[in-house]
Amino acid sequence: MLRLLCFTAHPDDEAGGFGGTLFHYGDCGLETHVVCMTPGQAATHRGGAKSDNELARMRRREFAAACKLLKVNSGTVLYYPHGKLDRQDFYSPVADLTRRVRKLRPHVIITMGPEGAITAHPDHSMIAIFATMAFHWAGRTNRFTDQLESGLQPHRTQKLYYGTTLFTMPDRQPVSLPPTTAIVRIGQKGIDAKVAAFKCHTSQAPLFPFFEETVRRRGSQELFHLAATATPMKAQNETDLFAGVAE
Ligand SMILES: [Zn+2]
């Protein structure tokens, strides 16, 4: 059974950034997992929540509903502070994500690029950096050895991808995106699932028009940049994130 692990920063990134791909692989019968770093408690759009804790609880429920719709096998929201991932120490979040990699043992990891995706949100940049180090260090016997002593095994994930696009937002400062090396065709079914999953995030309803505009521009494909591979190789144009992956 092939496994895909997606690391995100906020509830709704799984739908907005990766919804088509998660749905596509889930629909094909692969095992898919999402680990989201923050419960999105500092969001501008509050959905009527009276406190950060209440918003966090709402957004955890919305995330669970979106994951279910995207046929995700397990969706986990961690407890890091939204908007402050760049002010966390480096070691603990990487240890946390490394533990997830060693437990879930994915064949492929997808996450955002260090530029912060088209919105350049610093949390997006930080999840890219934390997830990248978790990808590399989960396979090493001399990193986070306490995890290995307590029974986990090192795990080398075969490929790491950053989500990317071929456009930037016209009304925002441009970002420098990773070049596209893989195109996943998600089809109309994938677009529909992605939009429906995003709309599970009802606290973020004011973002729906922006989101739908972005989805329309992306069309029936999601783009990725192959950032690292366990087997040394030249970059290729791929249409399947699992191309060349051994079970
Ligand atoms: Zn986000």
Side-chain angles (χ1 to χ4, degrees):
M1 172 68 88
L2 292 170
R3 291 178 295 277
L4 176 68
L5 172 57
C6 176
F7 284 123
T8 62
H10 313 119
D12 77 18
D13 292 339
E14 79 294 339
F18 306 101
T21 300
L22 287 169
F23 179 81
H24 169 73
Y25 285 111
D27 203 37
C28 291
L30 274 69
E31 205 178 294
T32 61
H33 302 274
V34 180
V35 174
C36 176
M37 203 72 183
T38 82
Q41 68 271 54
T44 308
H45 306 294
R46 312 288 298 171
K50 290 174 192 66
S51 65
D52 282 5
N53 280 342
E54 190 184 345
L55 182 58
R57 282 195 299 276
M58 284 171 67
R59 299 200 71 185
R60 284 176 187 277
R61 285 196 298 272
E62 293 167 359
F63 172 85
C67 283
K68 191 173 174 198
L69 212 145
L70 294 172
K71 302 191 176 198
V72 169
N73 292 80
S74 82
T76 307
V77 179
L78 303 181
Y79 44 80
Y80 289 88
H82 178 191
K84 294 182 183 166
L85 289 186
D86 55 343
R87 281 170 260 177
Q88 303 306 298
D89 79 1
F90 177 76
Y91 196 78
S92 317
V94 177
D96 248 350
L97 299 193
T98 298
R99 189 179 309 108
R100 309 274 160 181
V101 174
R102 286 173 171 169
K103 277 188 177 161
L104 294 167
R105 312 187 73 74
H107 298 80
V108 173
I109 292 178
I110 56 177
T111 188
M112 303 169 119
E115 79 291 344
I118 50 171
T119 61
H121 194 298
D123 287 350
H124 295 168
S125 299
M126 295 316 296
I127 189 65
I129 289 162
F130 296 149
T132 298
M133 293 327 299
F135 168 91
H136 289 292
W137 286 355
R140 305 193 77 82
T141 56
N142 56 349
R143 295 284 180 271
F144 305 115
T145 52
D146 55 317
Q147 296 176 9
L148 304 175
E149 281 153 20
S150 62
L152 287 174
Q153 297 293 317
H155 175 72
R156 284 193 86 195
T157 304
Q158 293 177 46
K159 290 164 120 181
L160 171 69
Y161 289 94
Y162 298 144
T164 191
T165 61
L166 289 171
F167 61 89
T168 60
M169 304 309 297
D171 53 343
R172 301 194 187 207
Q173 290 185 53
V175 289
S176 302
L177 291 155
T180 297
T181 65
I183 299 176
V184 177
R185 311 241 171 244
I186 64 172
Q188 190 58 44
K189 238 170 116 181
I191 296 179
D192 293 345
K194 187 171 173 174
V195 171
F198 197 86
K199 289 190 170 174
C200 292
H201 296 277
T202 49
S203 66
Q204 305 305 302
L207 294 177
F208 290 173
F210 164 82
F211 174 74
E212 287 198 43
E213 150 75 8
T214 310
V215 168
R216 199 166 59 244
R217 290 179 71 172
R218 281 190 176 162
S220 59
Q221 56 190 27
E222 285 180 353
L223 309 183
F224 292 89
H225 170 82
L226 179 58
T229 56
T231 309
M233 61 178 276
K234 288 183 177 172
Q236 291 161 359
N237 289 321
E238 298 176 314
T239 53
D240 176 12
L241 305 185
F242 288 85
V245 166
E247 245 187 269

